[in-house]
C-alpha cells in the first residue's frame, strides 16, 4: 500500500520517532541515504507562496539522489483547468513522489487517492505536518527528549499550525496547549483526536483562551503569524483580539528559565513576536528553519522505503 503523509497522525508514534532519528542521522551525514534509484523525479507543486518549503524540498530531493521537478500550481490549474484525479494519474506515471502546497485538505486527499505514489502535505489550510517534523527535531536537539515536554502555541488556534502542534505533539507524548482568542478555537475533531492520541502516549492536548497560564512553566513556546495565507483580507480585524497573545519578553518570562522559542517564519516583529524574543538567546528559529531540510529528507526516505504502490 502506498504510504502518504497528508496530516501529522498519518505516522504512528513509533514511526514519527523513526523519522526524527533518521533526520538526526541525515543532519550529521547529509548523503547517508540515496533512496531515488535511477534519479527519479519528485513533483514539487506550489499553489501558495513559498521560500523555506521550496528550497528545503529542492535541496533535499537532490541530496537524496532524486530530481526535483518544480510545478507552478497556478500555471498547471489543478482542479480548474484539469481535474485533480487526472493530474494525479499523470504525475504518478512520471515521478516517484508528489509534494503539494495547496489550500483545502480535500484537494490533497483526492490527489493521494489517484496518484499511486506517495503524496506529501507541504501545507494546507488544515495542517502543516512537515513543519512540525522540523519543530520536533529542533526540540529534540535542544531539550534532549520530546515525551513529557510542555509546549505552548500562541496565536490563531484555528490555523493549520495549531492543528499540527496538537496532533504531532500528542504523538510525541508532549503536553501541548494552544492558546488564542475567543472565536479562533481549533477544530473540535482535531482537538478530540489529539486528546485520543495523547491518552495513549502519556501526553496531553488542551485549548486555552488565557495566554499567561498557558505559557507558565512551558519548556517550549511557539507562535506564528496572526494572518495566514488566504486570510489577508481579515488582517485589520485580526490585530486587536490577538494582541494579548503576542510573544513578548514579559510573557516569555512566565515559561521556564531555559525554555526555547519556535516560529515557523515568516515572522512579523512587533506583532505576534517581539524582536528581542525572536532575536534573543532563547530563540532556536534558525535551527528550526534548517531542520525543514533534514526532517523532510527523512520523511521522503521513510515513505519510499515502505515499498511500491
Amino acid at each position: 500500500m502506498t504510504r502518504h503523509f497528508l496530516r501529522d497522525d498519518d505516522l504512528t508514534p513509533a514511526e514519527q520517532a523513526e523519522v526524527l532519528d533518521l533526520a538526526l542521522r541525515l543532519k550529521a551525514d547529509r548523503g547517508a541515504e540515496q533512496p531515488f534509484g535511477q534519479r527519479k523525479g519528485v513533483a514539487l507543486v506550489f499553489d501558495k507562496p513559498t521560500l523555506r518549503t521550496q528550497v528545503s524540498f529542492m535541496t533535499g530531493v537532490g541530496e537524496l539522489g532524486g530530481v526535483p521537478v518544480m510545478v507552478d500550481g497556478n500555471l498547471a490549474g489543478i482542479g480548474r483547468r484539469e481535474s485533480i484525479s487526472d493530474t494525479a494519474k499523470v504525475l504518478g506515471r512520471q515521478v516517484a513522489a508528489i509534494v503539494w502546497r495547496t489550500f483545502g485538505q480535500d484537494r490533497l486527499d483526492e490527489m493521494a487517492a489517484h496518484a499511486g505514489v506517495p503524496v506529501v502535505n507541504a501545507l494546507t489550510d488544515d495542517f502543516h505536518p512537515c513543519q512540525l517534523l522540523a519543530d520536533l527535531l529542533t526540540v529534540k536537539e535542544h531539550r534532549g527528549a520530546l515525551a513529557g515536554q510542555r509546549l505552548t502555541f500562541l496565536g490563531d488556534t484555528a490555523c493549520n499550525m495549531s492543528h499540527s502542534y496538537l496532533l504531532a505533539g500528542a504523538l510525541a507524548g508532549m503536553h501541548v496547549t494552544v492558546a488564542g482568542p475567543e472565536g479562533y478555537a481549533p477544530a473540535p475533531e482535531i482537538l478530540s483526536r489529539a486528546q485520543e492520541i495523547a491518552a495513549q502516549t502519556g501526553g496531553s492536548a488542551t485549548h486555552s483562551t488565557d495566554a499567561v497560564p498557558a505559557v507558565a512553566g512551558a519548556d517550549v513556546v511557539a507562535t506564528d503569524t496572526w494572518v495566514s495565507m488566504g486570510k489577508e483580507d481579515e488582517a485589520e480585524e485580526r490585530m486587536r483580539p490577538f494582541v494579548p497573545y503576542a510573544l513578548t519578553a514579559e510573557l516569555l518570562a512566565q515559561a521556564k528559565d531555559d525554555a526555547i522559542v519556535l516560529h515557523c517564519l515568516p515572522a512579523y516583529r512587533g506583532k505576534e513576536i517581539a524582536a528581542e524574543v525572536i532575536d534573543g538567546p532563547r530563540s532556536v528559529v534558525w535551527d528550526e528553519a534548517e531542520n525543514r531540510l533534514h526532517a523532510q529528507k527523512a520523511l521522503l526516505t521513510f515513505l519510499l522505503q515502505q515499498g511500491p504502490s
Side-chain angles (χ1 to χ4, degrees), residues 16-35:
Q16 182 195 67
E18 179 183 343
V19 169
L20 294 175
D21 286 343
L22 177 56
L24 285 173
R25 188 159 65 86
L26 289 172
K27 188 168 185 176
D29 180 0
R30 291 171 69 150
E33 294 285 348
Q34 298 285 305

PDB file of all heavy atoms in Angstrom, residues 16-35:
ATOM      1  N   GLN A  16       6.907   8.175  13.820  1.00  0.00           N
ATOM      2  CA  GLN A  16       7.368   9.556  13.970  1.00  0.00           C
ATOM      3  C   GLN A  16       8.770   9.576  14.600  1.00  0.00           C
ATOM      4  O   GLN A  16       9.658  10.317  14.148  1.00  0.00           O
ATOM      5  CB  GLN A  16       6.386  10.344  14.843  1.00  0.00           C
ATOM      6  CG  GLN A  16       6.759  11.806  15.015  1.00  0.00           C
ATOM      7  CD  GLN A  16       5.987  12.448  16.156  1.00  0.00           C
ATOM      8  OE1 GLN A  16       6.180  12.096  17.325  1.00  0.00           O
ATOM      9  NE2 GLN A  16       5.108  13.376  15.822  1.00  0.00           N
ATOM     10  N   ALA A  17       8.956   8.759  15.641  1.00  0.00           N
ATOM     11  CA  ALA A  17      10.275   8.696  16.285  1.00  0.00           C
ATOM     12  C   ALA A  17      11.330   8.176  15.316  1.00  0.00           C
ATOM     13  O   ALA A  17      12.479   8.665  15.308  1.00  0.00           O
ATOM     14  CB  ALA A  17      10.192   7.799  17.521  1.00  0.00           C
ATOM     15  N   GLU A  18      10.952   7.197  14.483  1.00  0.00           N
ATOM     16  CA  GLU A  18      11.893   6.655  13.488  1.00  0.00           C
ATOM     17  C   GLU A  18      12.313   7.730  12.492  1.00  0.00           C
ATOM     18  O   GLU A  18      13.495   7.852  12.150  1.00  0.00           O
ATOM     19  CB  GLU A  18      11.223   5.478  12.763  1.00  0.00           C
ATOM     20  CG  GLU A  18      12.097   4.844  11.691  1.00  0.00           C
ATOM     21  CD  GLU A  18      11.373   3.721  10.946  1.00  0.00           C
ATOM     22  OE1 GLU A  18      10.341   3.221  11.464  1.00  0.00           O
ATOM     23  OE2 GLU A  18      11.824   3.345   9.842  1.00  0.00           O
ATOM     24  N   VAL A  19      11.349   8.516  12.015  1.00  0.00           N
ATOM     25  CA  VAL A  19      11.660   9.585  11.056  1.00  0.00           C
ATOM     26  C   VAL A  19      12.578  10.637  11.698  1.00  0.00           C
ATOM     27  O   VAL A  19      13.551  11.099  11.089  1.00  0.00           O
ATOM     28  CB  VAL A  19      10.358  10.239  10.543  1.00  0.00           C
ATOM     29  CG1 VAL A  19      10.668  11.523   9.763  1.00  0.00           C
ATOM     30  CG2 VAL A  19       9.596   9.253   9.660  1.00  0.00           C
ATOM     31  N   LEU A  20      12.313  10.988  12.945  1.00  0.00           N
ATOM     32  CA  LEU A  20      13.136  12.004  13.611  1.00  0.00           C
ATOM     33  C   LEU A  20      14.553  11.492  13.866  1.00  0.00           C
ATOM     34  O   LEU A  20      15.524  12.241  13.731  1.00  0.00           O
ATOM     35  CB  LEU A  20      12.471  12.439  14.920  1.00  0.00           C
ATOM     36  CG  LEU A  20      11.133  13.176  14.754  1.00  0.00           C
ATOM     37  CD1 LEU A  20      10.498  13.458  16.112  1.00  0.00           C
ATOM     38  CD2 LEU A  20      11.319  14.479  13.981  1.00  0.00           C
ATOM     39  N   ASP A  21      14.667  10.225  14.230  1.00  0.00           N
ATOM     40  CA  ASP A  21      16.014   9.652  14.417  1.00  0.00           C
ATOM     41  C   ASP A  21      16.777   9.639  13.096  1.00  0.00           C
ATOM     42  O   ASP A  21      17.979   9.927  13.055  1.00  0.00           O
ATOM     43  CB  ASP A  21      15.914   8.226  14.974  1.00  0.00           C
ATOM     44  CG  ASP A  21      15.515   8.210  16.447  1.00  0.00           C
ATOM     45  OD1 ASP A  21      15.628   9.266  17.104  1.00  0.00           O
ATOM     46  OD2 ASP A  21      15.075   7.142  16.931  1.00  0.00           O
ATOM     47  N   LEU A  22      16.079   9.303  12.011  1.00  0.00           N
ATOM     48  CA  LEU A  22      16.723   9.313  10.703  1.00  0.00           C
ATOM     49  C   LEU A  22      17.122  10.739  10.314  1.00  0.00           C
ATOM     50  O   LEU A  22      18.184  10.960   9.723  1.00  0.00           O
ATOM     51  CB  LEU A  22      15.778   8.719   9.649  1.00  0.00           C
ATOM     52  CG  LEU A  22      16.278   8.721   8.200  1.00  0.00           C
ATOM     53  CD1 LEU A  22      17.622   7.997   8.081  1.00  0.00           C
ATOM     54  CD2 LEU A  22      15.246   8.088   7.270  1.00  0.00           C
ATOM     55  N   ALA A  23      16.276  11.703  10.655  1.00  0.00           N
ATOM     56  CA  ALA A  23      16.606  13.104  10.359  1.00  0.00           C
ATOM     57  C   ALA A  23      17.881  13.528  11.063  1.00  0.00           C
ATOM     58  O   ALA A  23      18.728  14.233  10.483  1.00  0.00           O
ATOM     59  CB  ALA A  23      15.447  14.012  10.768  1.00  0.00           C
ATOM     60  N   LEU A  24      18.055  13.099  12.303  1.00  0.00           N
ATOM     61  CA  LEU A  24      19.295  13.430  13.020  1.00  0.00           C
ATOM     62  C   LEU A  24      20.500  12.810  12.329  1.00  0.00           C
ATOM     63  O   LEU A  24      21.562  13.437  12.223  1.00  0.00           O
ATOM     64  CB  LEU A  24      19.203  12.919  14.466  1.00  0.00           C
ATOM     65  CG  LEU A  24      18.311  13.724  15.411  1.00  0.00           C
ATOM     66  CD1 LEU A  24      18.179  13.009  16.755  1.00  0.00           C
ATOM     67  CD2 LEU A  24      18.875  15.132  15.625  1.00  0.00           C
ATOM     68  N   ARG A  25      20.324  11.585  11.831  1.00  0.00           N
ATOM     69  CA  ARG A  25      21.435  10.919  11.133  1.00  0.00           C
ATOM     70  C   ARG A  25      21.740  11.633   9.821  1.00  0.00           C
ATOM     71  O   ARG A  25      22.909  11.819   9.463  1.00  0.00           O
ATOM     72  CB  ARG A  25      21.057   9.455  10.880  1.00  0.00           C
ATOM     73  CG  ARG A  25      22.203   8.614  10.340  1.00  0.00           C
ATOM     74  CD  ARG A  25      21.975   7.129  10.594  1.00  0.00           C
ATOM     75  NE  ARG A  25      20.838   6.591   9.873  1.00  0.00           N
ATOM     76  CZ  ARG A  25      20.900   6.147   8.625  1.00  0.00           C
ATOM     77  NH1 ARG A  25      22.043   6.174   7.962  1.00  0.00           N
ATOM     78  NH2 ARG A  25      19.830   5.649   8.043  1.00  0.00           N
ATOM     79  N   LEU A  26      20.707  12.066   9.121  1.00  0.00           N
ATOM     80  CA  LEU A  26      20.922  12.762   7.851  1.00  0.00           C
ATOM     81  C   LEU A  26      21.495  14.161   8.070  1.00  0.00           C
ATOM     82  O   LEU A  26      22.175  14.700   7.198  1.00  0.00           O
ATOM     83  CB  LEU A  26      19.608  12.852   7.078  1.00  0.00           C
ATOM     84  CG  LEU A  26      19.108  11.525   6.499  1.00  0.00           C
ATOM     85  CD1 LEU A  26      17.710  11.687   5.923  1.00  0.00           C
ATOM     86  CD2 LEU A  26      20.071  11.028   5.422  1.00  0.00           C
ATOM     87  N   LYS A  27      21.236  14.736   9.223  1.00  0.00           N
ATOM     88  CA  LYS A  27      21.838  16.046   9.521  1.00  0.00           C
ATOM     89  C   LYS A  27      23.341  15.884   9.758  1.00  0.00           C
ATOM     90  O   LYS A  27      24.130  16.757   9.375  1.00  0.00           O
ATOM     91  CB  LYS A  27      21.165  16.666  10.748  1.00  0.00           C
ATOM     92  CG  LYS A  27      21.594  18.107  11.010  1.00  0.00           C
ATOM     93  CD  LYS A  27      20.710  18.771  12.046  1.00  0.00           C
ATOM     94  CE  LYS A  27      21.072  20.250  12.203  1.00  0.00           C
ATOM     95  NZ  LYS A  27      20.155  20.946  13.139  1.00  0.00           N
ATOM     96  N   ALA A  28      23.713  14.759  10.373  1.00  0.00           N
ATOM     97  CA  ALA A  28      25.130  14.504  10.630  1.00  0.00           C
ATOM     98  C   ALA A  28      25.860  14.067   9.368  1.00  0.00           C
ATOM     99  O   ALA A  28      27.070  14.314   9.212  1.00  0.00           O
ATOM    100  CB  ALA A  28      25.274  13.440  11.716  1.00  0.00           C
ATOM    101  N   ASP A  29      25.161  13.397   8.475  1.00  0.00           N
ATOM    102  CA  ASP A  29      25.758  12.898   7.223  1.00  0.00           C
ATOM    103  C   ASP A  29      24.719  13.077   6.124  1.00  0.00           C
ATOM    104  O   ASP A  29      23.881  12.208   5.901  1.00  0.00           O
ATOM    105  CB  ASP A  29      26.144  11.429   7.374  1.00  0.00           C
ATOM    106  CG  ASP A  29      26.770  10.865   6.097  1.00  0.00           C
ATOM    107  OD1 ASP A  29      26.902  11.612   5.107  1.00  0.00           O
ATOM    108  OD2 ASP A  29      27.121   9.665   6.110  1.00  0.00           O
ATOM    109  N   ARG A  30      24.778  14.184   5.419  1.00  0.00           N
ATOM    110  CA  ARG A  30      23.702  14.568   4.500  1.00  0.00           C
ATOM    111  C   ARG A  30      23.547  13.621   3.326  1.00  0.00           C
ATOM    112  O   ARG A  30      22.513  13.601   2.678  1.00  0.00           O
ATOM    113  CB  ARG A  30      23.907  16.005   4.029  1.00  0.00           C
ATOM    114  CG  ARG A  30      23.689  17.001   5.165  1.00  0.00           C
ATOM    115  CD  ARG A  30      24.069  18.422   4.840  1.00  0.00           C
ATOM    116  NE  ARG A  30      23.199  19.049   3.863  1.00  0.00           N
ATOM    117  CZ  ARG A  30      22.961  20.354   3.837  1.00  0.00           C
ATOM    118  NH1 ARG A  30      23.512  21.158   4.744  1.00  0.00           N
ATOM    119  NH2 ARG A  30      22.199  20.883   2.901  1.00  0.00           N
ATOM    120  N   GLY A  31      24.566  12.823   3.018  1.00  0.00           N
ATOM    121  CA  GLY A  31      24.468  11.893   1.892  1.00  0.00           C
ATOM    122  C   GLY A  31      24.269  10.456   2.313  1.00  0.00           C
ATOM    123  O   GLY A  31      24.472   9.541   1.512  1.00  0.00           O
ATOM    124  N   ALA A  32      23.847  10.230   3.541  1.00  0.00           N
ATOM    125  CA  ALA A  32      23.772   8.864   4.075  1.00  0.00           C
ATOM    126  C   ALA A  32      22.709   8.014   3.407  1.00  0.00           C
ATOM    127  O   ALA A  32      22.803   6.784   3.417  1.00  0.00           O
ATOM    128  CB  ALA A  32      23.532   8.911   5.583  1.00  0.00           C
ATOM    129  N   GLU A  33      21.676   8.622   2.851  1.00  0.00           N
ATOM    130  CA  GLU A  33      20.608   7.859   2.197  1.00  0.00           C
ATOM    131  C   GLU A  33      20.448   8.331   0.753  1.00  0.00           C
ATOM    132  O   GLU A  33      20.473   9.537   0.478  1.00  0.00           O
ATOM    133  CB  GLU A  33      19.274   8.053   2.934  1.00  0.00           C
ATOM    134  CG  GLU A  33      19.241   7.473   4.339  1.00  0.00           C
ATOM    135  CD  GLU A  33      19.119   5.950   4.340  1.00  0.00           C
ATOM    136  OE1 GLU A  33      18.839   5.380   3.269  1.00  0.00           O
ATOM    137  OE2 GLU A  33      19.298   5.353   5.417  1.00  0.00           O
ATOM    138  N   GLN A  34      20.284   7.371  -0.152  1.00  0.00           N
ATOM    139  CA  GLN A  34      20.075   7.667  -1.576  1.00  0.00           C
ATOM    140  C   GLN A  34      18.905   6.812  -2.073  1.00  0.00           C
ATOM    141  O   GLN A  34      19.094   5.854  -2.837  1.00  0.00           O
ATOM    142  CB  GLN A  34      21.342   7.366  -2.381  1.00  0.00           C
ATOM    143  CG  GLN A  34      22.558   8.209  -1.989  1.00  0.00           C
ATOM    144  CD  GLN A  34      22.455   9.646  -2.499  1.00  0.00           C
ATOM    145  OE1 GLN A  34      22.276   9.889  -3.694  1.00  0.00           O
ATOM    146  NE2 GLN A  34      22.570  10.600  -1.588  1.00  0.00           N
ATOM    147  N   PRO A  35      17.687   7.101  -1.673  1.00  0.00           N
ATOM    148  CA  PRO A  35      16.559   6.212  -1.984  1.00  0.00           C
ATOM    149  C   PRO A  35      16.030   6.318  -3.416  1.00  0.00           C
ATOM    150  O   PRO A  35      15.232   5.473  -3.822  1.00  0.00           O
ATOM    151  CB  PRO A  35      15.489   6.685  -0.992  1.00  0.00           C
ATOM    152  CG  PRO A  35      15.789   8.124  -0.775  1.00  0.00           C
ATOM    153  CD  PRO A  35      17.282   8.229  -0.825  1.00  0.00           C
TER     154      PRO A  35
END
